[in-house]
Amino acid sequence: MDLDGQLVHKWALAAQPGNYAQLLPNGNLIVAMKTKEGPTHLAAKGGWMMELDWYGKIVWEYKDHPQHHDFRRRSNGNTIYLTWKLLHKIADTRVRAGRGDTEGNEGIWGDYIREVNAVGETVWEWH
């Protein structure tokens, strides 16, 4: 949309968007879309990140089914994002409170951060 609220352009996506999409400085769109794999009962879902040029051509795509919430394209071309990780069962006995029945039967899910390069190789993770 332009500054007057008029539609300027739109992209047709291959799946339902996750939380959001954003325009990159080059005018391309980067978006996370929902996949059916990975945890689906948690508060947010993505899993399929994709960069589309102005004409809808796929420039880059990467799947990590537990990906959720935030993601950013770094100035070096890498993409950094949040992903879910099923924690060791011992966490069930150590974590107090929370919201009952939000984790599912598998156990407690936690976050970690992953950075991948343009060909999908993990270059950095923080657990």
Coordinates of all heavy atoms in Angstrom, one line a residue, residues 15-103:
A15 N 1.0 -20.8 0.4 CA 0.4 -21.4 1.6 C 0.0 -20.2 2.5 O 0.3 -19.0 2.2 CB 1.4 -22.2 2.4
Q16 N -0.7 -20.5 3.6 CA -1.2 -19.5 4.5 C 0.0 -18.8 5.2 O 0.9 -19.6 5.7 CB -2.2 -20.1 5.5 CG -2.7 -19.1 6.5 CD -3.6 -19.7 7.5 OE1 -4.0 -20.9 7.4 NE2 -4.0 -19.0 8.5
P17 N 0.0 -17.5 5.3 CA 1.1 -16.9 6.0 C 1.1 -17.2 7.4 O 0.1 -17.5 8.0 CB 0.8 -15.4 5.8 CG -0.1 -15.3 4.7 CD -0.9 -16.6 4.6
G18 N 2.3 -17.2 8.0 CA 2.4 -17.4 9.5 C 2.1 -16.1 10.2 O 0.9 -15.6 10.0
N19 N 3.0 -15.5 10.8 CA 2.7 -14.2 11.5 C 2.7 -13.0 10.6 O 1.9 -12.1 10.8 CB 3.7 -14.0 12.7 CG 3.4 -15.0 13.8 OD1 2.6 -15.9 13.7 ND2 3.9 -14.7 15.0
Y20 N 3.7 -12.9 9.7 CA 3.8 -11.7 8.9 C 4.8 -11.9 7.8 O 5.4 -12.9 7.6 CB 4.3 -10.5 9.8 CG 5.6 -10.7 10.4 CD1 6.8 -10.3 9.7 CD2 5.8 -11.3 11.6 CE1 8.0 -10.5 10.2 CE2 7.1 -11.4 12.2 CZ 8.2 -11.1 11.5 OH 9.4 -11.2 12.0
A21 N 4.9 -10.9 7.0 CA 5.9 -10.8 5.9 C 6.5 -9.4 5.9 O 5.9 -8.5 6.6 CB 5.2 -11.0 4.5
Q22 N 7.6 -9.2 5.2 CA 8.2 -7.9 5.2 C 8.8 -7.6 3.9 O 9.3 -8.5 3.2 CB 9.1 -7.7 6.4 CG 10.2 -8.7 6.4 CD 11.1 -8.6 7.7 OE1 11.9 -7.7 7.8 NE2 10.9 -9.5 8.6
L23 N 8.9 -6.3 3.5 CA 9.6 -5.9 2.3 C 11.1 -5.8 2.6 O 11.5 -5.2 3.7 CB 9.1 -4.6 1.8 CG 7.7 -4.7 1.1 CD1 7.3 -3.3 0.7 CD2 7.8 -5.6 -0.1
L24 N 11.9 -6.3 1.8 CA 13.4 -6.2 1.9 C 13.8 -4.9 1.2 O 13.0 -4.3 0.4 CB 14.1 -7.4 1.3 CG 13.8 -8.7 2.0 CD1 14.4 -9.8 1.2 CD2 14.3 -8.7 3.4
P25 N 15.0 -4.3 1.5 CA 15.4 -3.1 0.8 C 15.4 -3.2 -0.7 O 15.2 -2.2 -1.4 CB 16.8 -2.9 1.4 CG 16.8 -3.6 2.7 CD 15.9 -4.8 2.5
N26 N 15.6 -4.4 -1.2 CA 15.6 -4.5 -2.7 C 14.2 -4.6 -3.3 O 14.0 -4.8 -4.5 CB 16.4 -5.8 -3.1 CG 15.8 -7.1 -2.6 OD1 14.8 -7.1 -2.0 ND2 16.5 -8.2 -2.9
G27 N 13.1 -4.5 -2.5 CA 11.8 -4.6 -3.0 C 11.2 -6.0 -3.0 O 10.0 -6.1 -3.3
N28 N 11.9 -7.0 -2.7 CA 11.4 -8.3 -2.6 C 10.7 -8.5 -1.3 O 10.8 -7.8 -0.3 CB 12.5 -9.4 -2.7 CG 13.2 -9.4 -4.0 OD1 12.7 -8.9 -5.0 ND2 14.3 -10.2 -4.1
L29 N 9.8 -9.5 -1.3 CA 9.0 -9.8 -0.1 C 9.6 -11.1 0.5 O 9.9 -12.1 -0.1 CB 7.6 -10.1 -0.5 CG 6.6 -10.5 0.7 CD1 6.2 -9.2 1.4 CD2 5.4 -11.2 0.1
I30 N 9.8 -11.1 1.9 CA 10.2 -12.3 2.6 C 9.0 -12.6 3.5 O 8.5 -11.7 4.2 CB 11.5 -12.1 3.3 CG1 12.0 -13.5 3.9 CG2 11.5 -11.0 4.4 CD1 13.4 -13.5 4.4
V31 N 8.6 -13.9 3.5 CA 7.4 -14.3 4.2 C 7.7 -15.7 4.8 O 8.4 -16.5 4.3 CB 6.2 -14.3 3.3 CG1 6.4 -15.2 2.1 CG2 4.9 -14.6 4.0
A32 N 7.0 -15.9 6.0 CA 7.0 -17.3 6.6 C 5.6 -17.8 6.4 O 4.6 -17.1 6.8 CB 7.4 -17.2 8.0
M33 N 5.5 -19.0 5.9 CA 4.1 -19.6 5.7 C 4.0 -20.8 6.5 O 5.0 -21.4 6.9 CB 3.9 -19.9 4.2 CG 3.9 -18.6 3.3 SD 4.0 -19.0 1.6 CE 5.6 -19.5 1.4
K34 N 2.8 -21.2 6.8 CA 2.5 -22.3 7.7 C 2.7 -23.6 6.9 O 2.3 -23.8 5.8 CB 1.1 -22.3 8.2 CG 0.9 -21.1 9.2 CD -0.5 -21.1 9.7 CE -0.7 -19.9 10.7 NZ -2.0 -19.9 11.3
T35 N 3.3 -24.6 7.6 CA 3.4 -26.0 7.1 C 2.6 -26.9 8.0 O 2.3 -26.5 9.1 CB 4.9 -26.5 7.1 OG1 5.4 -26.6 8.4 CG2 5.8 -25.6 6.2
K36 N 2.3 -28.1 7.6 CA 1.5 -29.0 8.4 C 2.4 -29.8 9.3 O 1.9 -30.5 10.2 CB 0.7 -29.9 7.5 CG -0.4 -29.1 6.7 CD -1.2 -30.0 5.8 CE -2.3 -29.2 5.1 NZ -3.0 -29.9 4.1
E37 N 3.7 -29.9 9.0 CA 4.6 -30.6 9.8 C 5.1 -29.8 11.0 O 4.9 -28.6 11.0 CB 5.8 -31.0 8.9 CG 5.5 -32.0 7.8 CD 5.0 -31.3 6.5 OE1 4.9 -30.0 6.5 OE2 4.8 -32.0 5.6
G38 N 5.7 -30.4 11.9 CA 6.2 -29.8 13.1 C 5.1 -29.5 14.1 O 3.9 -29.9 13.9
P39 N 5.3 -28.8 15.2 CA 4.3 -28.6 16.2 C 3.2 -27.6 15.7 O 3.6 -26.6 15.1 CB 5.0 -28.0 17.4 CG 6.3 -27.4 16.8 CD 6.6 -28.3 15.6
T40 N 2.0 -28.0 15.7 CA 0.9 -27.2 15.2 C 0.0 -26.7 16.3 O -0.9 -25.8 16.0 CB 0.0 -28.0 14.2 OG1 -0.5 -29.2 14.8 CG2 0.9 -28.4 13.0
H41 N 0.2 -27.1 17.5 CA -0.7 -26.7 18.6 C -0.2 -25.6 19.4 O -0.8 -25.1 20.4 CB -1.0 -27.9 19.5 CG 0.3 -28.4 20.2 ND1 1.2 -29.2 19.5 CD2 0.8 -28.2 21.4 CE1 2.2 -29.5 20.3 NE2 2.0 -28.9 21.5
L42 N 1.0 -25.0 19.1 CA 1.6 -23.9 19.8 C 1.1 -22.6 19.3 O 0.4 -22.5 18.3 CB 3.1 -24.1 19.7 CG 3.7 -25.4 20.3 CD1 5.2 -25.5 20.1 CD2 3.4 -25.5 21.8
A43 N 1.5 -21.5 20.0 CA 0.9 -20.2 19.7 C 1.2 -19.6 18.4 O 0.5 -18.8 17.9 CB 1.4 -19.2 20.8
A44 N 2.2 -20.1 17.7 CA 2.6 -19.5 16.4 C 3.1 -20.6 15.5 O 3.6 -21.6 16.0 CB 3.7 -18.4 16.6
K45 N 3.0 -20.4 14.2 CA 3.5 -21.4 13.3 C 3.9 -20.7 12.0 O 3.3 -19.8 11.5 CB 2.3 -22.3 13.0 CG 2.6 -23.5 12.0 CD 3.5 -24.5 12.6 CE 3.8 -25.7 11.7 NZ 5.1 -25.8 11.3
G46 N 5.0 -21.2 11.5 CA 5.5 -20.9 10.2 C 6.1 -22.1 9.6 O 5.3 -23.1 9.4
G47 N 7.4 -22.2 9.3 CA 8.0 -23.4 8.8 C 8.5 -23.3 7.4 O 9.4 -24.1 7.1
W48 N 7.9 -22.4 6.6 CA 8.4 -22.3 5.2 C 8.6 -20.9 4.9 O 7.7 -20.1 4.7 CB 7.3 -22.9 4.3 CG 7.6 -23.0 2.8 CD1 8.8 -22.8 2.2 CD2 6.7 -23.3 1.8 NE1 8.7 -23.0 0.9 CE2 7.4 -23.2 0.6 CE3 5.3 -23.5 1.8 CZ2 6.7 -23.5 -0.6 CZ3 4.7 -23.7 0.6 CH2 5.4 -23.7 -0.6
M49 N 9.9 -20.5 4.9 CA 10.3 -19.1 4.6 C 10.6 -19.0 3.1 O 11.3 -19.9 2.6 CB 11.5 -18.7 5.5 CG 11.1 -18.6 7.0 SD 12.5 -18.4 8.1 CE 13.2 -20.0 8.1
M50 N 10.2 -17.9 2.6 CA 10.4 -17.7 1.1 C 10.6 -16.2 0.8 O 10.0 -15.4 1.5 CB 9.1 -18.2 0.4 CG 9.2 -18.2 -1.1 SD 7.6 -18.8 -1.8 CE 7.7 -20.5 -1.4
E51 N 11.5 -16.0 -0.1 CA 11.7 -14.6 -0.7 C 11.2 -14.6 -2.1 O 11.5 -15.5 -2.9 CB 13.1 -14.2 -0.6 CG 13.4 -12.8 -1.2 CD 14.8 -12.4 -1.3 OE1 15.7 -13.1 -0.6 OE2 15.2 -11.5 -2.0
L52 N 10.3 -13.7 -2.4 CA 9.7 -13.5 -3.7 C 10.1 -12.2 -4.3 O 10.1 -11.2 -3.6 CB 8.2 -13.6 -3.6 CG 7.6 -14.8 -3.0 CD1 6.1 -14.7 -2.7 CD2 7.8 -16.0 -4.0
D53 N 10.4 -12.2 -5.6 CA 10.7 -10.9 -6.2 C 9.4 -10.2 -6.5 O 8.3 -10.7 -6.2 CB 11.6 -11.0 -7.5 CG 10.9 -11.7 -8.7 OD1 9.7 -11.9 -8.7 OD2 11.7 -12.0 -9.6
W54 N 9.4 -9.0 -7.1 CA 8.3 -8.2 -7.4 C 7.2 -8.9 -8.3 O 6.0 -8.7 -8.2 CB 8.7 -6.9 -8.1 CG 7.6 -5.9 -8.2 CD1 6.9 -5.6 -9.4 CD2 7.0 -5.1 -7.2 NE1 6.0 -4.6 -9.2 CE2 6.0 -4.3 -7.8 CE3 7.3 -4.9 -5.9 CZ2 5.2 -3.4 -7.1 CZ3 6.5 -4.0 -5.2 CH2 5.5 -3.2 -5.8
Y55 N 7.7 -9.8 -9.1 CA 6.8 -10.5 -10.0 C 6.4 -11.9 -9.5 O 5.7 -12.6 -10.2 CB 7.6 -10.7 -11.4 CG 8.0 -9.4 -11.9 CD1 9.4 -9.0 -11.8 CD2 7.1 -8.5 -12.5 CE1 9.8 -7.8 -12.3 CE2 7.5 -7.3 -13.0 CZ 8.9 -6.9 -12.9 OH 9.3 -5.7 -13.3
G56 N 6.7 -12.2 -8.3 CA 6.3 -13.5 -7.6 C 7.2 -14.6 -7.8 O 6.9 -15.7 -7.4
K57 N 8.3 -14.4 -8.5 CA 9.3 -15.5 -8.7 C 10.0 -15.8 -7.4 O 10.5 -14.9 -6.7 CB 10.3 -15.1 -9.8 CG 11.4 -16.2 -10.0 CD 12.4 -15.7 -11.0 CE 13.5 -16.7 -11.1 NZ 14.7 -16.2 -11.8
I58 N 10.2 -17.1 -7.1 CA 10.9 -17.5 -5.8 C 12.3 -17.3 -6.0 O 13.0 -17.8 -6.9 CB 10.6 -19.0 -5.5 CG1 9.1 -19.2 -5.3 CG2 11.4 -19.4 -4.3 CD1 8.7 -20.6 -5.1
V59 N 12.9 -16.4 -5.2 CA 14.3 -16.1 -5.2 C 15.1 -17.0 -4.2 O 16.2 -17.4 -4.4 CB 14.6 -14.6 -4.8 CG1 16.0 -14.3 -4.7 CG2 13.9 -13.7 -5.8
W60 N 14.4 -17.3 -3.1 CA 15.0 -18.1 -2.0 C 13.9 -18.8 -1.2 O 12.8 -18.2 -1.0 CB 15.8 -17.2 -1.1 CG 16.4 -17.9 0.1 CD1 17.5 -18.6 0.2 CD2 15.8 -17.9 1.4 NE1 17.7 -19.1 1.5 CE2 16.7 -18.7 2.3 CE3 14.7 -17.4 2.0 CZ2 16.4 -18.9 3.6 CZ3 14.4 -17.6 3.3 CH2 15.3 -18.3 4.1
E61 N 14.1 -20.0 -0.8 CA 13.1 -20.7 0.1 C 13.9 -21.6 1.0 O 14.9 -22.2 0.7 CB 12.0 -21.3 -0.6 CG 12.4 -22.5 -1.4 CD 11.2 -23.2 -2.2 OE1 10.1 -23.3 -1.5 OE2 11.3 -23.5 -3.4
Y62 N 13.3 -21.8 2.2 CA 13.9 -22.7 3.2 C 12.8 -23.2 4.1 O 12.0 -22.4 4.6 CB 15.0 -21.9 4.0 CG 15.7 -22.7 5.0 CD1 16.6 -23.7 4.7 CD2 15.3 -22.5 6.4 CE1 17.3 -24.4 5.7 CE2 16.0 -23.3 7.4 CZ 16.9 -24.2 7.0 OH 17.6 -25.0 8.0
K63 N 12.8 -24.5 4.4 CA 11.9 -25.1 5.3 C 12.5 -25.5 6.6 O 13.6 -26.2 6.6 CB 11.1 -26.2 4.7 CG 10.1 -25.8 3.6 CD 9.3 -27.0 3.1 CE 8.4 -26.5 2.0 NZ 7.6 -27.6 1.4
D64 N 12.0 -25.2 7.7 CA 12.3 -25.6 9.0 C 11.0 -25.6 9.8 O 10.5 -24.6 10.3 CB 13.3 -24.7 9.7 CG 13.8 -25.3 11.0 OD1 13.3 -26.3 11.5 OD2 14.7 -24.7 11.6
H65 N 10.3 -26.8 9.8 CA 8.9 -26.9 10.2 C 8.6 -26.3 11.6 O 7.6 -25.7 11.8 CB 8.4 -28.3 10.1 CG 8.5 -28.8 8.7 ND1 7.7 -28.3 7.7 CD2 9.2 -29.8 8.1 CE1 8.0 -28.9 6.6 NE2 8.9 -29.8 6.8
P66 N 9.5 -26.3 12.6 CA 9.2 -25.7 13.9 C 9.5 -24.2 13.9 O 9.3 -23.6 14.9 CB 10.2 -26.4 14.8 CG 10.8 -27.6 14.1 CD 10.7 -27.3 12.7
Q67 N 9.8 -23.6 12.8 CA 10.1 -22.1 12.8 C 8.8 -21.4 13.2 O 7.7 -21.8 12.8 CB 10.5 -21.7 11.3 CG 10.7 -20.2 11.2 CD 9.5 -19.4 10.8 OE1 8.6 -19.9 10.1 NE2 9.4 -18.2 11.3
H68 N 8.9 -20.3 13.9 CA 7.7 -19.6 14.4 C 8.1 -18.1 14.6 O 9.3 -17.8 14.7 CB 7.2 -20.2 15.6 CG 8.1 -20.1 16.8 ND1 8.0 -19.0 17.7 CD2 9.1 -20.9 17.3 CE1 8.9 -19.2 18.7 NE2 9.6 -20.3 18.4
H69 N 7.1 -17.3 14.8 CA 7.3 -15.9 15.1 C 8.3 -15.2 14.2 O 8.1 -15.1 13.0 CB 7.6 -15.7 16.6 CG 6.4 -15.9 17.5 ND1 6.2 -17.1 18.1 CD2 5.4 -15.1 17.9 CE1 5.1 -17.0 18.8 NE2 4.6 -15.8 18.7
D70 N 9.3 -14.6 14.8 CA 10.2 -13.7 14.2 C 11.2 -14.3 13.2 O 11.7 -15.4 13.5 CB 10.9 -12.8 15.2 CG 11.3 -11.5 14.7 OD1 10.9 -11.1 13.6 OD2 12.0 -10.8 15.5
F71 N 11.6 -13.6 12.2 CA 12.6 -13.9 11.3 C 13.1 -12.6 10.6 O 12.4 -11.7 10.5 CB 12.2 -14.9 10.2 CG 11.1 -14.4 9.3 CD1 11.3 -13.7 8.2 CD2 9.7 -14.6 9.7 CE1 10.2 -13.3 7.4 CE2 8.7 -14.1 9.0 CZ 8.9 -13.4 7.8
R72 N 14.4 -12.6 10.3 CA 15.0 -11.4 9.7 C 16.0 -11.8 8.7 O 16.8 -12.7 8.9 CB 15.7 -10.5 10.7 CG 14.7 -9.8 11.7 CD 14.0 -8.6 11.0 NE 13.2 -7.9 11.9 CZ 11.9 -8.1 12.2 NH1 11.3 -9.0 11.6 NH2 11.3 -7.3 13.0
R73 N 16.1 -11.0 7.6 CA 17.2 -11.2 6.6 C 18.3 -10.3 7.1 O 18.1 -9.1 7.3 CB 16.7 -10.8 5.2 CG 17.8 -10.8 4.1 CD 18.4 -12.2 3.9 NE 17.4 -13.3 3.7 CZ 16.8 -13.5 2.6 NH1 17.0 -12.8 1.5 NH2 16.0 -14.6 2.5
R74 N 19.5 -10.8 7.3 CA 20.6 -10.0 7.7 C 21.3 -9.4 6.5 O 21.1 -9.8 5.3 CB 21.6 -10.9 8.4 CG 21.0 -11.6 9.6 CD 21.9 -12.1 10.6 NE 22.8 -11.1 11.1 CZ 24.2 -11.3 11.2 NH1 24.7 -12.5 11.0 NH2 24.9 -10.4 11.6
S75 N 22.1 -8.4 6.7 CA 22.8 -7.6 5.6 C 23.8 -8.5 4.9 O 24.1 -8.2 3.7 CB 23.5 -6.4 6.2 OG 24.5 -6.8 7.2
N76 N 24.2 -9.6 5.5 CA 25.1 -10.5 4.8 C 24.4 -11.5 3.9 O 25.0 -12.4 3.3 CB 26.1 -11.2 5.8 CG 25.3 -12.1 6.7 OD1 24.1 -12.3 6.7 ND2 26.1 -12.7 7.7
G77 N 23.1 -11.5 3.9 CA 22.3 -12.4 3.1 C 21.7 -13.6 3.9 O 20.9 -14.3 3.4
N78 N 22.2 -13.8 5.1 CA 21.7 -14.9 5.9 C 20.4 -14.6 6.4 O 20.0 -13.4 6.5 CB 22.7 -15.2 7.0 CG 24.0 -15.7 6.6 OD1 24.2 -16.1 5.4 ND2 25.0 -15.8 7.5
T79 N 19.7 -15.6 6.9 CA 18.4 -15.4 7.5 C 18.4 -16.0 8.9 O 18.9 -17.1 9.1 CB 17.3 -16.1 6.7 OG1 17.3 -15.6 5.4 CG2 15.9 -15.9 7.3
I80 N 18.0 -15.2 9.9 CA 18.0 -15.6 11.3 C 16.5 -15.7 11.8 O 15.7 -14.9 11.4 CB 18.8 -14.6 12.1 CG1 19.1 -15.2 13.5 CG2 18.2 -13.2 12.2 CD1 20.2 -14.5 14.3
Y81 N 16.2 -16.7 12.6 CA 14.8 -16.9 13.0 C 14.7 -17.7 14.3 O 15.7 -18.3 14.7 CB 14.1 -17.6 11.8 CG 14.6 -19.0 11.5 CD1 14.1 -20.1 12.1 CD2 15.6 -19.1 10.6 CE1 14.6 -21.4 11.8 CE2 16.1 -20.4 10.2 CZ 15.6 -21.5 10.8 OH 16.1 -22.7 10.5
L82 N 13.5 -17.7 14.8 CA 13.2 -18.5 16.0 C 12.6 -19.8 15.6 O 11.9 -19.9 14.6 CB 12.1 -17.8 16.9 CG 12.6 -16.6 17.7 CD1 11.4 -15.9 18.3 CD2 13.6 -17.0 18.7
T83 N 12.9 -20.8 16.4 CA 12.3 -22.1 16.1 C 12.0 -22.8 17.4 O 12.6 -22.5 18.5 CB 13.3 -23.0 15.2 OG1 12.6 -24.2 14.8 CG2 14.6 -23.3 15.8
W84 N 11.1 -23.7 17.4 CA 10.7 -24.5 18.6 C 11.6 -25.7 18.7 O 12.1 -26.3 17.7 CB 9.3 -25.1 18.5 CG 8.2 -24.1 18.4 CD1 7.4 -23.9 17.3 CD2 7.7 -23.2 19.4 NE1 6.5 -22.9 17.6 CE2 6.6 -22.5 18.9 CE3 8.1 -22.9 20.7 CZ2 6.0 -21.5 19.6 CZ3 7.5 -22.0 21.5 CH2 6.4 -21.3 20.9
K85 N 11.8 -26.2 19.9 CA 12.6 -27.4 20.2 C 12.0 -28.1 21.4 O 11.7 -27.5 22.4 CB 14.1 -27.0 20.6 CG 14.9 -28.2 21.0 CD 16.3 -27.7 21.4 CE 17.1 -28.9 21.8 NZ 18.5 -28.5 22.2
L86 N 11.7 -29.4 21.2 CA 11.2 -30.1 22.3 C 12.2 -30.4 23.3 O 13.3 -30.9 23.0 CB 10.6 -31.5 21.8 CG 9.8 -32.3 22.8 CD1 8.6 -31.6 23.3 CD2 9.4 -33.6 22.1
L87 N 12.0 -29.9 24.6 CA 13.0 -30.0 25.6 C 13.1 -31.4 26.2 O 12.1 -32.1 26.1 CB 12.7 -28.9 26.7 CG 12.7 -27.5 26.2 CD1 12.3 -26.6 27.4 CD2 14.0 -27.1 25.6
H88 N 14.2 -31.7 26.8 CA 14.4 -32.9 27.5 C 13.3 -33.1 28.5 O 12.8 -32.2 29.2 CB 15.7 -33.0 28.2 CG 16.1 -34.3 28.6 ND1 15.7 -34.8 29.8 CD2 16.8 -35.3 28.0 CE1 16.2 -36.1 30.0 NE2 16.9 -36.4 28.9
K89 N 12.8 -34.3 28.7 CA 11.7 -34.6 29.6 C 12.0 -34.1 31.1 O 11.0 -33.8 31.8 CB 11.5 -36.2 29.7 CG 10.6 -36.7 28.6 CD 9.2 -36.1 28.7 CE 8.3 -36.8 27.7 NZ 6.9 -36.2 27.8
I90 N 13.2 -34.0 31.5 CA 13.5 -33.5 32.8 C 13.0 -32.1 33.0 O 12.6 -31.7 34.1 CB 15.0 -33.6 33.1 CG1 15.3 -33.4 34.6 CG2 15.8 -32.5 32.3 CD1 15.0 -34.6 35.4
A91 N 12.8 -31.3 31.9 CA 12.2 -30.0 32.0 C 10.8 -30.0 32.6 O 10.4 -29.1 33.3 CB 12.3 -29.3 30.7
D92 N 10.1 -31.0 32.3 CA 8.7 -31.2 32.8 C 8.6 -31.1 34.3 O 7.7 -30.5 34.9 CB 8.1 -32.5 32.3 CG 7.8 -32.5 30.9 OD1 8.0 -31.5 30.2 OD2 7.4 -33.6 30.4
T93 N 9.6 -31.6 35.0 CA 9.6 -31.6 36.4 C 10.3 -30.3 37.0 O 10.1 -30.1 38.2 CB 10.4 -32.8 37.0 OG1 11.7 -32.8 36.6 CG2 9.7 -34.1 36.5
R94 N 11.0 -29.6 36.2 CA 11.7 -28.4 36.7 C 11.0 -27.1 36.5 O 11.2 -26.1 37.2 CB 13.1 -28.3 36.1 CG 14.0 -29.4 36.5 CD 15.4 -29.3 35.9 NE 16.2 -30.3 36.4 CZ 17.4 -30.5 35.9 NH1 17.9 -29.8 34.9 NH2 18.2 -31.5 36.4
V95 N 10.1 -27.1 35.5 CA 9.4 -25.8 35.1 C 8.1 -25.8 35.9 O 7.3 -26.7 35.8 CB 9.2 -25.7 33.6 CG1 8.4 -24.5 33.3 CG2 10.5 -25.7 32.9
R96 N 7.9 -24.7 36.6 CA 6.7 -24.6 37.4 C 5.8 -23.6 36.7 O 6.2 -22.7 36.0 CB 7.1 -24.0 38.8 CG 8.1 -24.9 39.6 CD 7.3 -26.0 40.3 NE 8.3 -26.7 41.1 CZ 8.5 -28.0 41.0 NH1 7.9 -28.7 40.1 NH2 9.4 -28.6 41.8
A97 N 4.5 -23.7 37.1 CA 3.4 -22.8 36.6 C 3.2 -22.9 35.1 O 3.2 -24.1 34.6 CB 3.8 -21.3 37.0
G98 N 3.1 -21.9 34.4 CA 2.7 -21.9 33.0 C 1.2 -22.1 32.8 O 0.5 -21.9 33.7
R99 N 0.8 -22.3 31.6 CA -0.6 -22.5 31.3 C -0.8 -24.0 31.0 O -0.3 -24.5 30.0 CB -1.0 -21.7 30.1 CG -0.9 -20.2 30.3 CD -1.3 -19.3 29.2 NE -1.7 -20.0 28.0 CZ -1.5 -19.5 26.8 NH1 -0.9 -18.3 26.6 NH2 -1.9 -20.2 25.7
G100 N -1.7 -24.6 31.7 CA -2.0 -26.0 31.6 C -2.5 -26.3 30.2 O -3.2 -25.5 29.6
D101 N -2.1 -27.5 29.7 CA -2.6 -28.0 28.5 C -2.2 -27.2 27.2 O -2.8 -27.3 26.2 CB -4.1 -28.2 28.4 CG -4.6 -29.1 29.5 OD1 -3.9 -30.1 29.8 OD2 -5.7 -28.9 30.1
T102 N -1.1 -26.4 27.4 CA -0.7 -25.6 26.2 C 0.5 -26.3 25.5 O 0.9 -25.9 24.4 CB -0.2 -24.2 26.6 OG1 0.8 -24.3 27.5 CG2 -1.4 -23.4 27.2
E103 N 1.1 -27.3 26.1 CA 2.3 -27.9 25.6 C 2.0 -29.2 24.8 O 2.8 -29.6 24.0 CB 3.3 -28.2 26.7 CG 3.8 -27.0 27.4 CD 4.7 -26.1 26.5 OE1 5.3 -26.6 25.5 OE2 4.9 -25.0 26.8

